[in-house]
Amino acid sequence: MEPATVSQVLRRYAPQYLERFGSTMPSEQQKVLAAVTACRTGELGTVRYQCAQCGESHVMGRSCGNRHCVLCQADKSQQWLEKQEAKQLPCHYFLITFTVPPEVQRVMRSHPREGYEALFQASSQALKELATNERHVGTQRPGFFGVLHTWGRDLHYHPHVHYVVAGGGLNADATGWKPSRPNYFVPDTALAIVFRAKLRDEFKARGLYEAVESSAWTRDWIIDCEAVGDGRSTLKYLAAYVFRVGVTENRVTACDWHPDMDQATVTLMVKRSGTKKYKPMPLTARE
């Protein structure tokens, strides 16, 4: 086993992966893979830098700028955080997370564009619908934004949306503010039921409904609603992931450079759900 980086592993084994799976990969994924493997190699052109004092110069390959590239996202998280903090209202906030069962996840993975659009539409509409109820908030104009995550702490595929929700909304003529209770926005159980029904309708409209096992639409779904004070800590948490890829360079600790991607072993450090400790997770290069 030898030290390795994400870029090295991708450049070595991407040709094999594309040869086997290229015909079934979404075009978006193929574009990302092409950009990331070419980043800073010179394939995208070069940039020449020269010291203004001593005149010494050096040349380096251009960055790809792709949002999924581990080398190109260094400063964007802080810029995003500052922008969102400037928009914060002087009120309490909630973090509401929408997840879907495995049967729905599998369909979303095969149809990411349609699936993620449906996820956002269904979850946002469910939030708006319950917020109009006078027993909860009674506003036609709640304020929130959502961030899509497609992987969990253990790096397994796990699409879910985090919404940062202001604790209240504008009244009917938009002249006043109707606050929610500090520790309660809308009921989790009712929100899950409405979300499930709306996602089912969105899947039908996009031709994805038949691909989901019928049992998924009858079981209980899980929505998590958490009061988060002024919301600043939540923004800092989300900022770390908005422009962060699933596997950063420091997570790859070693690679067995076997010619066959099914025989090569890449060791990643992952944080198991519910813990704060990282543990090694060996994967094949194909995985």
Side-chain angles (χ1 to χ4, degrees):
M1 302 289 282
E2 300 177 5
T5 66
V6 174
S7 301
Q8 289 172 337
V9 174
L10 292 180
R11 289 177 189 132
R12 175 72 177 271
Y13 297 107
Q16 289 186 45
Y17 191 87
L18 288 169
E19 183 178 358
R20 189 183 305 181
F21 302 109
S23 62
T24 58
M25 286 177 66
S27 59
E28 292 88 346
Q29 292 184 12
Q30 295 194 42
K31 291 178 181 177
V32 170
L33 189 58
V36 172
T37 53
C39 186
R40 303 188 187 184
T41 63
E43 294 180 30
L44 304 176
T46 57
V47 180
R48 179 174 175 269
Y49 293 92
Q50 185 175 44
C51 176
Q53 295 181 339
C54 69
E56 184 177 351
S57 64
H58 66 276
V59 178
M60 65 180 297
R62 286 186 179 275
S63 300
C64 67
N66 191 281
R67 68 176 302 270
H68 300 88
C69 179
V70 67
L71 301 176
C72 294
Q73 306 302 324
D75 300 322
K76 293 184 178 180
S77 292
Q78 184 61 34
Q79 294 172 3
W80 180 88
L81 176 60
E82 293 173 356
K83 186 176 181 179
Q84 298 306 322
E85 287 181 334
K87 296 179 180 179
Q88 288 295 91
L89 300 174
C91 66
H92 56 275
Y93 275 83
F94 297 88
L95 178 64
I96 301 180
T97 304
F98 290 80
T99 60
V100 296
E103 297 90 340
V104 178
Q105 291 180 15
R106 285 192 284 270
V107 176
M108 283 186 173
R109 189 162 195 176
S110 300
H111 304 82
R113 182 179 295 275
E114 300 89 346
Y116 299 154
E117 286 179 351
L119 177 58
F120 269 111
Q121 285 292 330
S123 55
S124 61
Q125 291 301 320
L127 264 178
K128 291 179 181 179
E129 183 172 313
L130 265 70
T132 62
N133 193 315
E134 292 291 343
R135 293 181 299 172
H136 310 317
V137 187
T139 176
Q140 297 284 342
R141 300 184 180 186
F144 57 82
F145 71 89
V147 174
L148 172 69
H149 285 181
T150 55
W151 41 274
R153 290 183 178 180
D154 59 1
L155 301 183
H156 286 89
Y157 183 67
H158 176 51
H160 56 285
V161 177
H162 292 297
Y163 281 99
V164 179
V165 185
L170 296 176
N171 59 15
D173 59 4
T175 59
W177 179 259
K178 298 190 68 174
S180 70
R181 282 169 273 181
N183 296 311
Y184 176 89
F185 190 73
V186 295
D188 297 3
T189 302
L191 185 60
I193 293 173
V194 174
F195 167 58
R196 182 183 62 191
K198 289 187 177 296
L199 188 62
R200 179 193 61 207
D201 293 342
E202 292 289 341
F203 267 42
K204 287 181 178 179
R206 290 167 170 77
L208 302 178
Y209 176 76
E210 297 297 333
V212 180
E213 296 177 28
S214 58
S215 60
W217 305 112
T218 57
R219 73 168 60 152
D220 292 336
W221 287 24
I222 298 175
I223 304 294
D224 183 70
C225 183
E226 179 183 356
V228 291
D230 63 7
R232 293 186 181 275
S233 61
T234 297
L235 289 177
K236 291 180 180 179
Y237 163 74
L238 293 177
Y241 293 93
V242 171
F243 292 100
R244 180 174 161 189
V245 296
V247 183
T248 53
E249 294 286 38
N250 62 343
R251 284 197 175 196
V252 180
T253 59
C255 181
D256 171 18
W257 299 103
H258 193 281
D260 187 343
M261 68 177 181
D262 287 313
Q263 300 297 320
T265 302
V266 181
T267 302
L268 307 180
M269 299 301 291
V270 300
K271 185 185 292 185
R272 301 294 181 182
S273 181
T275 71
K276 295 183 179 180
K277 294 183 178 180
Y278 283 90
K279 294 183 178 181
M281 180 175 71
L283 298 171
T284 65
R286 175 181 57 79
E287 292 177 297

